[in-house]
Amino acid sequence: MSWEFKSIPNVRDIGGYKMHDGRTIKYNRLLRGGFLKDASEEDILYFQKIHLRHIFDFRTEGEVSYKPDCNIPGADNLWLPTLDMHTDQKIEQFPAEAYRNLPDYLMTAAFTEKGKETARTLYPSMVVNEYTQLQYSVFIMNVLNTNDGACYWHCSEGKDRTGLGAAFLLAALGADMDVIIEDFDKSNNYYQKRIDIVKERISAIGGGEEELKVIQAFIGVSVENFINAMKLIDSEYGSMEDYLHNQLLLSDDDMTALRNKYLE
């Protein structure tokens, strides 16, 4: 991807990754990132240039109302909140207002048992949640059914929920796990300065390794927690391939069609 987005957080094209069959993902077709509320005219024009067709928004209702996406001509917006907030499998998460100033919120939350537990369990709780699985299934099927142009998926910061969506899509396209982990970890590169600043603040008030892990998980991403979630898929469902088939409802024909459409 030659374009550098100036107004949208943590955007990247997953084009160029090599799959296990030797093919690579096409550029300017599959992009992931953060919210679009502040997208500049130049960034919007770039999306139009690559014929953006679908925007998949993984945020909660509160997040969407606080920072609604801007309109991008030619693209429709499909709201697929991936955090189960209502069923008996409800995923425990920080309150919506925490994300309006997450670093300040974490200064307290990192020292609580609930904060540490939320950091450890967010990814594992999502991969086993049936509501979340359905949302990611709808996402991938819509990517499959996009006949031309590009798709963009996002949450607020383009890292956790967006990262899981990318992981499942990459797996369906035939990526090895090291490629999936590499892509997930790239969010830490984007947010590294912010991570370092908040970690310094935590250390200054007596925070240790456990508190720093909370900061890493919520300002950046926790690769450790992500790998644990991938291992949980293997232990609970047999393999990632089984998970794609049985939980995300993708058939062999679906994955063949997906690969033929987006690989070269």
Side-chain angles (χ1 to χ4, degrees):
M1 182 176 66
S2 59
W3 183 256
E4 183 178 349
F5 286 84
K6 301 291 188 182
S7 61
I8 306 168
N10 199 20
V11 182
R12 60 183 173 274
D13 189 337
I14 68 167
Y17 284 127
K18 190 172 183 178
M19 302 294 99
H20 60 64
D21 67 1
R23 290 184 288 177
T24 58
I25 301 175
K26 296 175 182 178
Y27 285 100
N28 294 323
R29 299 295 302 279
L30 301 171
L31 291 85
R32 51 168 292 179
F35 67 91
L36 297 171
K37 180 179 184 297
D38 301 321
S40 66
E41 181 178 350
E42 291 79 10
D43 287 344
I44 291 172
L45 287 172
Y46 182 79
F47 275 134
Q48 291 181 271
K49 179 180 178 180
I50 64 173
H51 306 292
L52 183 64
R53 298 297 183 226
H54 298 299
I55 299 165
F56 304 98
D57 189 342
F58 296 155
R59 297 176 297 169
T60 65
E61 185 176 7
E63 291 173 287
V64 173
S65 63
Y66 177 53
K67 291 185 176 180
D69 283 345
C70 67
N71 178 58
I72 297 180
D76 59 26
N77 191 304
L78 182 60
W79 181 45
L80 294 172
T82 55
L83 288 179
D84 183 356
M85 309 293 284
H86 304 293
T87 75
D88 57 4
Q89 289 185 306
K90 181 178 177 180
I91 296 172
E92 289 296 326
Q93 180 57 292
F94 293 145
E97 56 269 22
Y99 291 91
R100 300 188 181 189
N101 193 334
L102 187 58
D104 282 352
Y105 182 85
L106 289 173
M107 294 302 293
T108 298
F111 290 90
T112 68
E113 286 307 313
K114 183 175 181 180
K116 294 170 186 176
E117 180 70 9
T118 300
R120 286 192 300 268
T121 62
L122 177 60
Y123 305 152
S125 65
M126 290 183 70
V127 301
V128 300
N129 185 281
E130 293 178 2
Y131 173 88
T132 301
Q133 293 167 1
L134 178 61
Q135 301 297 75
Y136 283 126
S137 174
V138 173
F139 158 59
I140 295 178
M141 289 306 299
N142 274 274
V143 170
L144 171 60
N145 292 326
T146 302
N147 292 323
D148 66 328
C151 296
Y152 179 78
W153 63 99
H154 76 91
C155 49
S156 286
E157 304 294 335
K159 56 189 188 70
D160 302 305
R161 291 162 287 182
T162 298
L164 282 176
F168 299 140
L169 181 56
L170 283 166
L173 288 166
D176 293 328
M177 187 54 64
D178 59 344
V179 172
I180 293 172
I181 294 170
E182 174 190 350
D183 180 69
F184 191 83
D185 188 33
K186 284 182 178 179
S187 289
N188 284 325
N189 296 333
Y190 182 86
Y191 289 112
Q192 193 61 57
K193 289 183 180 178
R194 190 188 302 181
I195 294 167
D196 292 342
I197 289 170
V198 182
K199 281 186 173 181
E200 286 181 9
R201 293 174 62 190
I202 286 288
S203 296
I205 59 174
E209 182 179 353
E210 290 303 310
E211 289 74 27
L212 293 176
K213 284 184 177 181
V214 177
I215 301 305
Q216 182 67 52
F218 285 106
I219 301 297
V221 295
S222 170
V223 175
E224 177 186 359
N225 292 345
F226 177 73
I227 291 173
N228 288 338
M230 297 300 101
K231 290 179 178 178
L232 181 62
I233 287 175
D234 291 340
S235 64
E236 289 291 317
Y237 305 105
S239 67
M240 176 61 81
E241 184 175 2
D242 290 333
Y243 185 83
L244 294 173
H245 284 317
N246 300 320
Q247 273 59 54
L248 301 193
L249 309 177
L250 297 172
S251 68
D252 286 333
D253 288 344
D254 291 333
M255 287 193 280
T256 296
L258 190 71
R259 294 171 188 182
N260 289 339
K261 180 170 289 188
Y262 291 105
L263 303 183
E264 59 186 4

